[in-house]
Every structure is written in structure tokens, then in C-alpha cells.
Amino acid sequence: MQTLGSHAAWATAGRPRRRHDRDGYGPLRRARAANTGEELLALPAGFTYTVFGLTGTTMSDGQATPIAHDGMAAFPSPRRGAVRLIRNHEVRTGPGSPTGRVHVPGSDRYDEQGVAGTTTLDVDPRTGRVLEHFVSLNGTTTNCAGGVMYGGRGWLSCEETTAGPRQGWQRKHGYVFEVPLHGPGPGRPAASRPITAMGRFSHEAVAVDPRTGYVYETEDDSGKPNGFYRYRPRNPRDLADGGVLEMLKITGRPGYDTREGQRMGARLPVEWVRIDDPDPDLENGAATCTQQGLAAGGAKFNRLEGCWYGDGSIYFNSTSGGDAKNGDSPGADGYREGYGQVWRYIPGRRRDRDHGGRGPHRWNRDGGTLELVYESPGRKVLDSPDNLTFTPRGGIILCEDDASSADADPHPLAPGLDNVNRLIGLDPGGAPFEFAVNITDDSEFAGACFSPDGSVLFANTLGSTTDLTPPGRTYAIRGPWRRGPL
């Protein structure tokens, strides 16, 4: 099967699609959850789902399941036959607010006023039954997305904010935190320690290149240009040991604006510029990481969100990039938001091995290329891609986050909803297709990821980030994956 790296080539070459590529898995229909009977999603024929992890559900540690289910990853569980999910909660309430809070009294927390963090769930993938669930990180705020740690040792959870004491928090925020896969259990969350060398900015997601241990980071700060970052750690297994933070720059074209006027399939040569102060004292007027990178010629993106390693490359979404505009008011620099782009960064060529051929490969620091592999022509096709994931069969799934407030986005399978969000697949011909529709509320999809054996797709609907309704939910979707392009 062709992978996403070939999508732009297929599209520009005008190659014919195979039969199943024309409509993904066929038309969708409203479906009931196998375990509750609720009609929550629309899916293609042959696919079934269970729902669990509902906001307010009492967990194994006695805490209520928090609000705002966001980025997530699936790992092998210590329990035989089970899958371990580590799930972010993008709680955006005020400092210390009890509403939907991620909180374990007496635990080792970075900020006593923190309201967000992660929960860990062990799930039976066949039935969707939750075997154990508990808070695994607290003392943070606005934990949006993240990524899998080097070697699959756990989850990197990212704060999508740069708030601090001036906003009522006890500590500065805007960092990445580690959540060990095999850490403490119920009632004993991991100690929350910010990795300051990875940067203080409005983080979204990260992806680790398993060949180098480099961590690629997206930034989502609405209304202004954002950067795409790379963290080169001294030790990939100990990110807190320090390293170098850099921003992507298009070689020979300082300040290149990727947000519009781009051509699918064109490859742009890349170099990286160093961020000299990755942990800026924003409270006293220090230049932000973004300002530092752009001043050095870094490329401009708009609302970078989902990020995933696959097919030897790093793929990431610009949620509001593109020439087709969504109608929202322009940002501070006059840019008008689009319906979304999917980008691919292809790392530089391998040089040689360190340590006499026994260590990791050394890679050209200034090498690599950037390629636009898909750009949405309008909301009906793809509206604001957020999280993304690769499928075990080489396909890709995009989680929609209808970011525009200007245009309604109804759907015939979800009557009564003005802004409907979907899971969108990309076929080998570069064309998007609907795979799932949230027919319950206007929550965005988030955290899509596959079980280690590839048989189950897990995904969240966010719910509210400030209130108990609508609730966040987690889904387990099974079906005939090999019948179509995912």
C-alpha cells in the first residue's frame, strides 16, 4: 500500500485510484455503541465501537474522570491481552478550580494550582471494558497533545499555554512533561517535572525520530505566526539532561511564509536556527521562543497541531493554513485562516555511526526537506485537521477541530448540530474521505491512535474544556480495516 509520503506525487501525476480509494470504506450510517446502546458516532458498514472513560466516571484511584479528553497514545499493557492508554486532559479552568480537575491530593505536583494532566487506562481491546484507570500526571495546565517517548517508554505531555504567576498560577507554564509507561499506579501519579530545555511556548504535539532521538515539536498560538521546532537532546533517554532547541528555516529564504501560496509536492530545502533562550522569562519581557526563531529567519506556520513519525518522516498539521479561507477575522499580522494543511519534514541523509558503528546514526543537522502533502480546498472536504495518526497499514487519520466561528458546518447524519467534527482518512491518491462523524455534540475528535496489534482504533471526543458538559468520551473502534485504504 502507498503511504502518505506518496500522496502528493499521486495527486500531481493524476494517477487513477483503485476502486476502494474512491469512497474510503463506503457510506457512513448512524451506529449504536455495542456496550451502552447509545447512538454517538456514524461509521461505515461493518465497523463497531464501544464507549468508555466518560467525564465524571469514578476511577480506580477514587478520583472522578476529568474533563477535556485530548491527545492520547496506546501501548502494550502490563496486563496480559490489554492495551494501556495514556490520555491528556486539556483543562482550561482557572488556577485551582475544582471543575473537572486532574488532581490527586498529596501527590508530587509541579504547581499546586494546576488543573490539568493525564490519566492512564488499561482496556480490554475486545470488549472495551476498562480494567483500571487513574490519574498519572497532575499539577500542570492545558495539557493538549504530546507524543510517544523514545523507545516507547511512555508519553510526553505538552502544555498549550505560556501562562504564569501573573495569571494566578503558582509556577510558570508552557512546558513538556514525562509520563512513564510503567510508573506508579492508582493514587500515586508521576512527579511532574518540566523539561525546560525543550522550550517554553504554546506546545501542541511532539514526535520522536527513533533513529536519532530528536524530538520534533509543534506550536499552536492562535492569531500569530507559529514555528516548527526540533530538540536535539544530549541523551534521548534523558531529555531533562539538556540539549539544543531549534526552529525550522527554509534555506536561503528567511521568514518564509508557508501559510498560503504553496504547491503540493514541492520540496523546500531546510536548515535549523538555534533558540538561544529556550526558557524565556516572559514575565519580565524576554523574547519568546517564537520571536527568537523568526528573528533568525525561521519559517512561519499557522496553528501547528498534530505531529507523528511515520514512513521515515515527521508529519504535522497546520490546522488553519491554506489558500481557501474559513471566513474568520484576520490575525494580528493580517493573515486570514484557511481550512488546513498537512506537512512532511524529511530528515537529512544519514552520515555514519558514532562509537565505532555501535551507536546511533549521526545525521546532517542542517539537512532535510519540507513538503506540503495535502491542503484542504474547503470545509466539506477537510475542516481544520488537528491530531493525526498513522495506521499500522500505512494510512493516515486526521482528527477534525472545526476552528472557524464564521461558517456553519452541518452534516446530514447529525441533524441539529451546526459545527460537526469528523475523523478523516487520506487515501493513497491523496484524496480525503469521511471515516467517522461525531453525531452527539460539537466536540472535536482528538487522540486517535491504534492498539499495538493494529486491530482497534482508539479516539476521544474532547467535550468541554471548562465545564462538565458536554462530557469527554473515549471510543474503541473495530472493523474490516483491510477492506479499505487505512
Side-chain angles (χ1 to χ4, degrees):
M1 173 171 289
Q2 300 291 325
T3 58
L4 183 59
S6 65
H7 284 187
W10 276 71
T12 55
R15 300 185 190 181
R17 300 179 192 150
R18 295 186 292 274
R19 181 175 180 179
H20 69 57
D21 293 334
R22 288 198 297 270
D23 55 5
Y25 290 86
L28 276 57
R29 83 282 187 262
R30 295 170 67 97
R32 296 184 181 277
N35 59 334
T36 67
E38 299 170 281
E39 208 171 52
L40 304 172
L41 300 179
L43 292 168
F47 284 86
T48 61
Y49 69 97
T50 55
V51 60
F52 55 92
L54 191 72
T55 289
T57 304
T58 301
M59 297 187 292
S60 304
D61 58 3
Q63 306 302 316
T65 299
I67 62 176
H69 299 25
D70 211 305
M72 185 168 67
F75 305 85
S77 169
R79 296 171 181 267
R80 187 173 181 180
V83 174
R84 172 157 289 189
L85 301 173
I86 302 181
R87 182 180 62 197
N88 269 17
H89 293 272
E90 189 188 338
V91 184
R92 288 182 174 269
T93 57
S97 170
T99 303
R101 187 180 186 185
V102 185
H103 182 68
V104 176
S107 60
D108 190 353
R109 294 185 296 277
Y110 169 67
D111 189 334
E112 289 299 318
Q113 297 299 310
V115 293
T118 67
T119 53
T120 293
L121 304 87
D122 282 345
V123 180
D124 183 334
R126 297 162 297 178
T127 64
R129 186 168 69 91
V130 177
L131 307 175
E132 188 174 60
H133 47 156
F134 52 90
V135 172
S136 46
L137 179 77
N138 68 163
T140 57
T141 185
T142 323
N143 292 62
C144 188
V148 177
M149 292 168 60
Y150 182 74
R153 297 176 299 111
W155 174 249
L156 294 170
S157 184
C158 301
E159 294 184 312
E160 190 188 0
T161 182
T162 55
R166 290 184 179 177
Q167 290 76 36
W169 303 100
Q170 186 183 70
R171 309 286 292 274
K172 299 188 302 180
H173 291 275
Y175 301 111
V176 178
F177 295 78
E178 291 186 346
V179 186
L181 177 59
H182 300 298
R188 294 174 292 122
S192 47
R193 301 282 186 269
I195 307 173
T196 57
M198 292 185 70
R200 184 187 181 195
F201 56 88
S202 188
H203 285 274
E204 177 74 20
V206 302
V208 177
D209 187 333
R211 301 165 299 183
T212 61
Y214 294 174
V215 186
Y216 294 86
E217 310 176 51
T218 57
E219 178 181 31
D220 182 11
D221 194 357
S222 298
K224 60 189 70 172
N226 295 165
F228 181 62
Y229 297 86
R230 178 176 75 175
Y231 178 62
R232 294 190 290 110
R234 294 192 186 100
N235 180 357
R237 295 185 179 275
D238 184 5
L239 298 180
D241 188 40
V244 175
L245 182 67
E246 300 165 316
M247 181 186 282
L248 181 145
K249 174 186 176 182
I250 303 303
T251 302
R253 306 178 75 173
Y256 186 85
D257 196 334
T258 71
R259 297 174 295 179
E260 53 192 3
Q262 303 304 300
R263 181 169 60 87
M264 283 202 306
R267 291 194 173 186
L268 302 168
V270 164
E271 58 186 274
W272 296 86
V273 295
R274 182 166 182 153
I275 306 300
D276 292 323
D277 182 9
D279 186 17
D281 185 2
L282 304 179
E283 289 69 23
N284 289 302
T288 67
C289 290
T290 318
Q291 290 169 339
Q292 294 175 60
L294 295 180
K300 298 176 182 178
F301 295 88
N302 188 260
R303 292 198 63 205
L304 292 185
E305 301 210 36
C307 190
W308 203 270
Y309 174 85
D311 196 27
S313 301
I314 306 295
Y315 293 85
F316 58 99
N317 288 332
S318 171
T319 294
S320 302
D323 292 341
K325 303 303 180 182
N326 65 22
D328 278 353
S329 299
D333 67 345
Y335 172 73
R336 292 183 177 274
E337 294 186 340
Y339 284 102
Q341 301 165 320
V342 182
W343 291 92
R344 176 193 189 193
Y345 168 67
I346 308 164
R349 293 185 177 182
R350 187 177 67 199
R351 285 181 174 177
D352 56 7
R353 288 183 181 270
D354 293 334
H355 312 302
R358 295 183 299 274
H361 289 298
R362 276 206 306 258
W363 292 73
N364 184 348
R365 283 197 236 168
D366 298 326
T369 54
L370 181 70
E371 177 185 19
L372 178 64
V373 297
Y374 185 76
E375 181 171 296
S376 175
R379 65 173 176 81
K380 290 185 178 180
V381 180
L382 174 65
D383 189 351
S384 310
D386 191 323
N387 291 173
L388 67 83
T389 189
F390 264 71
T391 77
R393 290 152 291 277
I396 192 167
I397 293 176
L398 306 169
C399 298
E400 277 192 334
D401 172 11
D402 181 1
S404 172
S405 58
D407 60 342
D409 190 16
H411 194 284
L413 290 173
L417 295 178
D418 290 332
N419 292 293
V420 174
N421 288 291
R422 305 168 294 177
L423 292 177
I424 299 291
L426 283 181
D427 72 26
F433 64 90
E434 290 185 345
F435 175 74
V437 178
N438 177 7
I439 61 175
T440 308
D441 52 47
D442 61 1
S443 296
E444 67 187 79
F445 276 105
C449 56
F450 275 85
S451 60
D453 68 358
S455 65
V456 181
L457 171 66
F458 296 98
N460 299 319
T461 48
L462 181 73
S464 174
T465 59
T466 58
D467 205 346
L468 299 176
T469 55
R473 295 178 172 92
T474 300
Y475 298 92
I477 302 171
R478 301 176 65 91
W481 297 106
R482 296 190 181 279
R483 192 182 73 194
L486 298 179

